Amino acid sequence: MAAPASPRTTLTTTIAPVVPATRQAPATHAKRALLARHHIVAPSLRVADAAAAAVFGAARVRGPIARDVIAKVTGLSIATVNRQVTALLDAGVLRERADLAVSGAIGRPRVPVEINHEPFLTLALHIGARTTSIAATDLFGRTLDVVETPTPHGSQGVALNALAASARRYLSRWHRRRPLWVGVTAGGVVDSVTGLIDHPRLGWSGAPVGPVLAEALGLPVSLASHVEAMAGAELLLGARRPAGRNADAARDAGTSLYLYARETVGYALSIGGRVHSPASGPGTIAALPVQSEKLGGSGRLETTVSDEAVVAAARRLRIVPAEGPSSTIGGVFRAARQGNAQAADLLAERARVLGEAVALLRDMLNPDDLVVGGQAFTEYPEGMALVEAAFAERSVLGARDIRLTSFGNRIQEAGAGVVSLGGLYADPIGAMRRAQSRRTESA
């Protein structure tokens, strides 16, 4: 079940850096990074099958749920379920609901348990080329609140300091919930082990995003490529998410292709219930060959279908002004919906190019499930029929449905949210211990 829409505000206040922006001695910086790196944890973007994870997952998806029902849906013995429930109750992530016990039943196995979500949150950051989203997520993966702030530019050190300060200020608002983890997603090349990011569009090279946030916030930090994270959100939080060991085994063993398009384009594969994360970083489809004179004729997918390319074409045709608040992709959408034929034609061309790109990837990889997301699809749903028509015409394989993301325009924050929760979903007891250890150390 996808999360409901969350309140969204814009954060524009200038915040003083939490770490001096001046150049530090190399030895000092290396020591700080080394210490912080102990709290960088590679994300777990997979359907976990460990006993504690299966019990926690059953409660998350089906709760309130009795222990004997957990045993039935997970395939675990009742003795194993009882042990894991006790451990999860002790860890604080489950709670009993004696008020929902079956009337006349004897013994604790008939007392339902559910996720104890109110005391906790995780912090989710999506670092975009222009805008950074900072969100609070509960243990169900639901977004509690999100703010948006312009992605800091300028020197790498200053930008990271500003980013960390914004995150710390945001966390300070949450007095009644205990933060457990930080999840970060970004474009470029993300090293999930060290927490370093190379992001050419931001001018970042080996940017220690993970270490800086771990030090500033006093929490474990996980980082992932944004498209891989979005695929993880579909896998673990989407409408077809599995619940327990016996749930939809065919899907868990299958493959899913996720394609994203907005300012950038990207793809990710889920194979056998796990997002494929190459050690050398995600592959790229930015330079996939395409043809569209209407959208600039660059011959490459990203520079043809990006928001920037569509807006540039709309400016040339005077659909939107050369500058000003209306000179945006939103202005192009509004013009098309108000009957501007040229605007509608541009967006139809974008849909055609995207549909053919999806067809090419599908024909190469032939996944069992095909999902598209990103505002190029979700902010103009009128274009999906055109995407599907272009896909059907270009693909040489049999008919296949294209599924739109479960998260609509919230896919970026959902991706960052699942990165912040992946460790908890895979090993809830171990994750709570790590979070408590980090909290004690910071205190």
Side-chain angles (χ1 to χ4, degrees), residues 321-387:
E323 55 185 23
S326 298
S327 187
T328 63
I329 189 66
V332 182
F333 293 149
R334 285 191 296 273
R337 289 167 178 148
Q338 291 168 1
N340 186 305
Q342 286 183 308
D345 192 40
L346 277 184
L347 295 174
E349 178 71 353
R350 183 197 217 184
R352 179 192 68 78
V353 174
L354 283 170
E356 292 184 355
V358 174
L360 181 58
L361 285 171
R362 181 270 174 116
D363 288 355
M364 288 192 298
L365 301 170
N366 197 20
D368 301 303
D369 193 29
L370 189 55
V371 188
V372 296
Q375 281 75 359
F377 300 102
T378 59
E379 279 198 345
Y380 192 67
E382 299 95 322
M384 272 306 297
L386 301 173
V387 171

Side-chain angles (χ1 to χ4, degrees), residues 89-102:
L89 289 169
D90 291 342
V93 292
L94 288 188
R95 63 186 176 195
E96 292 186 315
R97 290 294 305 273
D99 57 311
L100 298 179
V102 177

Side-chain angles (χ1 to χ4, degrees), residues 177-190:
R177 288 182 184 254
R178 173 186 156 196
L180 299 175
W181 215 274
V182 181
V184 181
T185 61
V189 178
V190 179

Side-chain angles (χ1 to χ4, degrees), residues 39 119-120 174-175 177-180 217-220 431-443:
H39 306 289
F120 306 110
W174 296 89
H175 304 293
R177 288 182 184 254
R178 173 186 156 196
L180 299 175
L217 303 177
L219 295 169
M432 292 299 289
R433 286 173 179 164
R434 182 184 285 270
Q436 180 59 44
S437 174
R438 182 67 173 122
R439 179 182 177 90
T440 302
E441 177 184 318
S442 298

Side-chain angles (χ1 to χ4, degrees), residues 122-377:
T122 61
L123 187 69
L125 289 88
H126 170 75
I127 305 172
R130 296 185 178 181
T131 302
T132 291
S133 300
I134 306 175
T137 304
D138 73 6
L139 301 192
F140 288 104
R142 299 177 300 200
T143 300
L144 301 171
D145 173 73
V146 61
V147 300
E148 292 183 344
T149 181
T151 299
H153 290 272
S155 72
Q156 183 169 292
V158 170
L160 294 185
N161 283 325
L163 186 67
S166 296
R168 190 166 71 175
R169 179 175 180 271
Y170 180 77
L171 265 187
S172 70
R173 302 178 180 183
W174 296 89
H175 304 293
R176 297 184 180 181
R177 288 182 184 254
R178 173 186 156 196
L180 299 175
W181 215 274
V182 181
V184 181
T185 61
V189 178
V190 179
D191 188 327
S192 297
V193 175
T194 64
L196 306 184
I197 295 179
D198 293 331
H199 199 309
R201 291 192 67 176
L202 294 176
W204 293 0
S205 178
V209 177
V212 168
L213 288 173
E215 181 177 309
L217 303 177
L219 295 169
V221 180
S222 295
L223 303 92
S225 158
H226 65 157
V227 181
E228 290 178 1
M230 294 172 200
E234 294 293 337
L235 180 68
L236 297 175
L237 301 175
R240 298 186 182 183
R241 65 177 182 261
R245 292 180 174 181
N246 294 339
D248 202 352
R251 176 174 178 260
D252 291 353
T255 58
S256 178
L257 171 65
Y258 180 85
L259 187 140
Y260 170 83
R262 190 184 188 183
E263 281 293 353
T264 60
V265 295
Y267 79 100
L269 277 172
S270 296
I271 304 172
R274 178 190 296 267
V275 176
H276 178 54
S277 301
S280 58
T284 179
I285 57 173
L288 204 68
V290 299
Q291 292 297 325
S292 176
E293 294 301 324
K294 292 180 182 178
L295 292 172
S298 71
R300 298 185 173 210
L301 180 62
E302 184 168 286
T303 50
T304 299
V305 301
S306 68
D307 284 357
E308 183 178 353
V310 176
V311 172
R315 288 169 181 160
R316 289 194 299 270
L317 295 172
R318 299 184 180 180
I319 296 169
V320 296
E323 55 185 23
S326 298
S327 187
T328 63
I329 189 66
V332 182
F333 293 149
R334 285 191 296 273
R337 289 167 178 148
Q338 291 168 1
N340 186 305
Q342 286 183 308
D345 192 40
L346 277 184
L347 295 174
E349 178 71 353
R350 183 197 217 184
R352 179 192 68 78
V353 174
L354 283 170
E356 292 184 355
V358 174
L360 181 58
L361 285 171
R362 181 270 174 116
D363 288 355
M364 288 192 298
L365 301 170
N366 197 20
D368 301 303
D369 193 29
L370 189 55
V371 188
V372 296
Q375 281 75 359
F377 300 102

Side-chain angles (χ1 to χ4, degrees), residues 30-49:
K31 182 178 180 181
R32 187 188 75 173
L34 181 63
L35 291 172
R37 196 170 297 156
H38 290 298
H39 306 289
I40 308 302
V41 183
S44 181
L45 302 177
R46 62 187 177 88
V47 178
D49 59 1

